[in-house]
Amino acid sequence: MALTRAEIIDRFKAAPVTQLDGLVQVYGDCPADMRRDFQLPVASFASGICRKLYAAENKKQLKFADPGIIIRIGDVRTNLTDVIARPATRDGGVKFTRIYLPSPSGADLVKFRHEVVRAFYRAVDGVDLDDDSVTKKLRESDPVTRVEDIQSEVAAWRERGEYAAGKTDEDYLKMLRGVHLPGVATKPDVTTFASRLFLYPEFYAAPFCGKYAACSFRDAIALARKDPTIRFAAYQKIQPLMLFGSGHGEKMNAAVEAYAKFLAELAVLKRTDEELAKLLDDADEKLKGVLEE
């Protein structure tokens, strides 16, 4: 239906919503009620994506005299999923992108999110990303998916000996030690921590009790009375275990502290085997409960 002259003037005069130091600008080519419902939410959605990208890249926010991402919302009220992106270049070679959402209520959010990421890198870095690179940047900007990708990469290295381009064993060891999602313990975090609950001799040529290249914490309770080097190994294990296991939330911290308490008591060896076993049982139960809701 053709617009009236008054409607055309109303849309022409409607001010855009500008956010993130001028990077994102949203126009409403639609009636006033649709502008009220969608203009600010669309701007906030796009700006939120860009803030995450800035943070993931450790970049300082840039100021834009002219917007790098221009979004126009249409007046279609049905669930039309179209997201139309048009890259452009201003005089002087400055890149920007126009994105059109004919139906702001029905737009494909996955497609829209990807086009905002692509537009961000055109405006901020002046580069054009392919689809795979856009997906990678998007996942890196989200703490949860970033950790999933890191853990998947580490698992490929540990289980299949696969290396990402340019990475070495030392890089993967650093990734193992890192706290990638502060305050949260994922299943790989707990599994990796559990794999470290062993004691090892200070020197490979000097095994525990003359024959053990390693021993579990539980076996160490009895063996520590036969070989004092096990007590020393327990003492040495406390600090690295706490450094490696801390930072993954209250439940994980409680489990780490329980193991540290057990190791400290094992090192001084003033408690009975039954008392030490009870301390270890408590630590094991706390670790099992880390992933429980």
Side-chain angles (χ1 to χ4, degrees):
M1 184 180 296
L3 297 175
T4 66
R5 183 171 183 274
E7 289 172 331
I8 293 173
I9 293 174
D10 175 66
R11 295 189 186 188
F12 183 77
K13 287 185 173 181
V17 172
T18 303
Q19 293 188 351
L20 213 58
D21 289 329
L23 172 60
V24 176
Q25 197 166 74
V26 180
Y27 290 85
D29 187 11
C30 53
D33 66 314
M34 291 186 70
R35 292 198 298 270
R36 287 194 298 270
D37 289 344
F38 296 108
Q39 200 171 4
L40 183 58
V42 168
S44 298
F45 181 79
S47 296
I49 294 170
C50 294
R51 285 190 179 90
K52 287 185 177 181
L53 294 170
Y54 271 131
E57 298 284 357
N58 198 25
K59 289 180 179 291
K60 183 180 179 180
Q61 287 185 194
L62 304 179
K63 293 184 180 297
F64 287 80
D66 298 303
I69 305 173
I70 301 173
I71 303 169
R72 189 172 295 274
I73 58 177
D75 58 3
V76 178
R77 296 181 187 271
T78 57
N79 291 328
L80 185 63
T81 62
D82 291 6
V83 176
I84 303 165
R86 294 286 183 267
T89 305
R90 294 189 174 91
D91 293 341
V94 178
K95 294 182 177 182
F96 70 104
T97 305
R98 296 187 178 94
I99 301 175
Y100 180 49
L101 309 177
S103 170
S105 63
D108 183 338
L109 290 183
V110 173
K111 171 70 172 174
F112 182 40
R113 187 179 285 110
H114 279 71
E115 291 302 341
V116 170
V117 173
R118 199 188 312 273
F120 172 88
Y121 284 97
R122 293 191 80 251
V124 174
D125 290 343
V127 298
D128 293 282
L129 301 182
D130 57 27
D131 290 343
D132 289 342
S133 297
V134 168
T135 299
K136 182 180 179 182
K137 293 292 187 183
L138 187 58
R139 290 184 65 83
E140 288 175 348
S141 71
D142 183 89
V144 174
T145 54
R146 179 174 60 85
V147 171
E148 289 175 354
D149 291 344
I150 289 173
Q151 292 176 339
S152 177
E153 186 179 333
V154 171
W157 168 71
R158 293 180 64 182
E159 298 167 11
R160 300 185 296 277
E162 296 177 5
Y163 290 78
K167 282 196 171 70
T168 65
D169 289 333
E170 184 60 32
D171 293 321
Y172 285 107
L173 289 172
K174 288 180 180 178
M175 290 166 71
L176 271 175
R177 294 192 293 267
V179 178
H180 305 292
L181 192 59
V184 177
T186 64
K187 186 175 181 179
D189 289 332
V190 176
T191 301
T192 301
F193 178 80
S195 71
R196 292 177 171 252
L197 302 180
F198 289 86
L199 297 178
Y200 299 91
E202 186 175 8
F203 303 104
Y204 181 77
F208 294 140
C209 300
K211 56 181 177 180
Y212 299 113
C215 70
S216 67
F217 284 4
R218 197 161 298 278
D219 290 340
I221 294 174
L223 295 177
R225 301 191 185 279
K226 301 176 183 178
D227 187 343
T229 64
I230 292 177
R231 296 166 58 188
F232 183 64
Y235 174 75
Q236 286 188 311
K237 188 76 172 182
I238 296 173
Q239 185 176 15
L241 201 66
M242 294 193 71
L243 289 174
F244 186 82
S246 299
H248 297 287
E250 292 182 4
K251 286 186 176 181
M252 186 69 171
N253 288 342
V256 173
E257 290 172 4
Y259 282 112
K261 182 178 180 180
F262 162 75
L263 291 170
E265 293 294 342
L266 180 65
V268 298
L269 208 59
K270 291 184 178 180
R271 294 184 181 240
T272 66
D273 288 2
E274 291 75 16
E275 289 173 328
L276 290 171
K278 187 175 181 180
L279 289 174
L280 183 56
D281 289 341
D282 177 61
D284 287 344
E285 285 301 313
K286 282 183 169 62
L287 186 62
K288 289 178 183 177
V290 170
L291 298 177
E292 295 177 356
E293 295 295 334

mmCIF file of all heavy atoms in Angstrom, residues 52 56 137-147:
data_model
loop_
_atom_site.group_PDB
_atom_site.id
_atom_site.type_symbol
_atom_site.label_atom_id
_atom_site.label_comp_id
_atom_site.label_asym_id
_atom_site.label_seq_id
_atom_site.Cartn_x
_atom_site.Cartn_y
_atom_site.Cartn_z
ATOM 1 N N LYS A 52 31.381 -7.590 22.395
ATOM 2 C CA LYS A 52 32.037 -8.882 22.620
ATOM 3 C C LYS A 52 33.226 -9.070 21.680
ATOM 4 O O LYS A 52 34.264 -9.618 22.073
ATOM 5 C CB LYS A 52 31.042 -10.022 22.441
ATOM 6 C CG LYS A 52 30.032 -10.169 23.561
ATOM 7 C CD LYS A 52 29.159 -11.397 23.351
ATOM 8 C CE LYS A 52 28.200 -11.604 24.503
ATOM 9 N NZ LYS A 52 27.364 -12.824 24.305
ATOM 10 N N ALA A 56 36.991 -9.671 22.809
ATOM 11 C CA ALA A 56 37.702 -10.884 22.393
ATOM 12 C C ALA A 56 39.018 -10.549 21.706
ATOM 13 O O ALA A 56 40.010 -11.271 21.836
ATOM 14 C CB ALA A 56 36.815 -11.720 21.470
ATOM 15 N N LYS A 137 35.206 -16.214 14.543
ATOM 16 C CA LYS A 137 35.267 -14.983 15.342
ATOM 17 C C LYS A 137 34.077 -14.892 16.293
ATOM 18 O O LYS A 137 34.225 -14.458 17.442
ATOM 19 C CB LYS A 137 35.279 -13.763 14.416
ATOM 20 C CG LYS A 137 36.532 -13.618 13.574
ATOM 21 C CD LYS A 137 37.747 -13.297 14.410
ATOM 22 C CE LYS A 137 38.953 -12.975 13.551
ATOM 23 N NZ LYS A 137 40.173 -12.719 14.360
ATOM 24 N N LEU A 138 32.919 -15.326 15.816
ATOM 25 C CA LEU A 138 31.730 -15.278 16.657
ATOM 26 C C LEU A 138 31.861 -16.211 17.848
ATOM 27 O O LEU A 138 31.530 -15.860 18.980
ATOM 28 C CB LEU A 138 30.506 -15.644 15.823
ATOM 29 C CG LEU A 138 29.135 -15.496 16.485
ATOM 30 C CD1 LEU A 138 28.914 -14.069 16.954
ATOM 31 C CD2 LEU A 138 28.037 -15.921 15.525
ATOM 32 N N ARG A 139 32.366 -17.413 17.610
ATOM 33 C CA ARG A 139 32.536 -18.374 18.695
ATOM 34 C C ARG A 139 33.612 -17.913 19.673
ATOM 35 O O ARG A 139 33.494 -18.114 20.880
ATOM 36 C CB ARG A 139 32.880 -19.754 18.130
ATOM 37 C CG ARG A 139 31.717 -20.411 17.404
ATOM 38 C CD ARG A 139 32.068 -21.817 16.949
ATOM 39 N NE ARG A 139 32.312 -22.722 18.055
ATOM 40 C CZ ARG A 139 31.355 -23.363 18.734
ATOM 41 N NH1 ARG A 139 30.088 -23.187 18.410
ATOM 42 N NH2 ARG A 139 31.659 -24.176 19.725
ATOM 43 N N GLU A 140 34.652 -17.282 19.181
ATOM 44 C CA GLU A 140 35.711 -16.785 20.053
ATOM 45 C C GLU A 140 35.227 -15.638 20.938
ATOM 46 O O GLU A 140 35.772 -15.411 22.021
ATOM 47 C CB GLU A 140 36.902 -16.303 19.217
ATOM 48 C CG GLU A 140 37.700 -17.436 18.572
ATOM 49 C CD GLU A 140 38.798 -16.928 17.664
ATOM 50 O OE1 GLU A 140 38.791 -15.706 17.359
ATOM 51 O OE2 GLU A 140 39.654 -17.722 17.250
ATOM 52 N N SER A 141 34.196 -14.945 20.499
ATOM 53 C CA SER A 141 33.703 -13.796 21.267
ATOM 54 C C SER A 141 32.766 -14.202 22.389
ATOM 55 O O SER A 141 32.482 -13.395 23.277
ATOM 56 C CB SER A 141 32.971 -12.813 20.338
ATOM 57 O OG SER A 141 31.727 -13.347 19.900
ATOM 58 N N ASP A 142 32.271 -15.437 22.360
ATOM 59 C CA ASP A 142 31.374 -15.917 23.402
ATOM 60 C C ASP A 142 32.155 -16.799 24.369
ATOM 61 O O ASP A 142 32.799 -17.766 23.945
ATOM 62 C CB ASP A 142 30.225 -16.717 22.791
ATOM 63 C CG ASP A 142 29.232 -17.179 23.847
ATOM 64 O OD1 ASP A 142 28.293 -16.429 24.145
ATOM 65 O OD2 ASP A 142 29.413 -18.298 24.378
ATOM 66 N N PRO A 143 32.145 -16.493 25.674
ATOM 67 C CA PRO A 143 32.957 -17.259 26.633
ATOM 68 C C PRO A 143 32.684 -18.759 26.609
ATOM 69 O O PRO A 143 33.613 -19.565 26.693
ATOM 70 C CB PRO A 143 32.574 -16.650 27.981
ATOM 71 C CG PRO A 143 32.114 -15.274 27.669
ATOM 72 C CD PRO A 143 31.427 -15.386 26.337
ATOM 73 N N VAL A 144 31.422 -19.153 26.465
ATOM 74 C CA VAL A 144 31.077 -20.573 26.519
ATOM 75 C C VAL A 144 31.584 -21.309 25.287
ATOM 76 O O VAL A 144 32.257 -22.342 25.392
ATOM 77 C CB VAL A 144 29.551 -20.757 26.671
ATOM 78 C CG1 VAL A 144 29.187 -22.242 26.585
ATOM 79 C CG2 VAL A 144 29.082 -20.182 27.998
ATOM 80 N N THR A 145 31.272 -20.795 24.096
ATOM 81 C CA THR A 145 31.711 -21.486 22.879
ATOM 82 C C THR A 145 33.225 -21.408 22.714
ATOM 83 O O THR A 145 33.835 -22.321 22.154
ATOM 84 C CB THR A 145 31.018 -20.902 21.639
ATOM 85 O OG1 THR A 145 31.223 -19.469 21.589
ATOM 86 C CG2 THR A 145 29.517 -21.188 21.675
ATOM 87 N N ARG A 146 33.820 -20.329 23.221
ATOM 88 C CA ARG A 146 35.292 -20.226 23.144
ATOM 89 C C ARG A 146 35.937 -21.340 23.957
ATOM 90 O O ARG A 146 36.892 -21.983 23.507
ATOM 91 C CB ARG A 146 35.746 -18.856 23.667
ATOM 92 C CG ARG A 146 37.261 -18.659 23.653
ATOM 93 C CD ARG A 146 37.613 -17.239 24.048
ATOM 94 N NE ARG A 146 37.149 -16.915 25.378
ATOM 95 C CZ ARG A 146 37.828 -17.182 26.498
ATOM 96 N NH1 ARG A 146 39.009 -17.786 26.432
ATOM 97 N NH2 ARG A 146 37.344 -16.849 27.677
ATOM 98 N N VAL A 147 35.415 -21.592 25.153
ATOM 99 C CA VAL A 147 35.952 -22.671 25.984
ATOM 100 C C VAL A 147 35.713 -24.022 25.334
ATOM 101 O O VAL A 147 36.589 -24.895 25.361
ATOM 102 C CB VAL A 147 35.317 -22.627 27.392
ATOM 103 C CG1 VAL A 147 35.686 -23.870 28.193
ATOM 104 C CG2 VAL A 147 35.793 -21.387 28.141
#
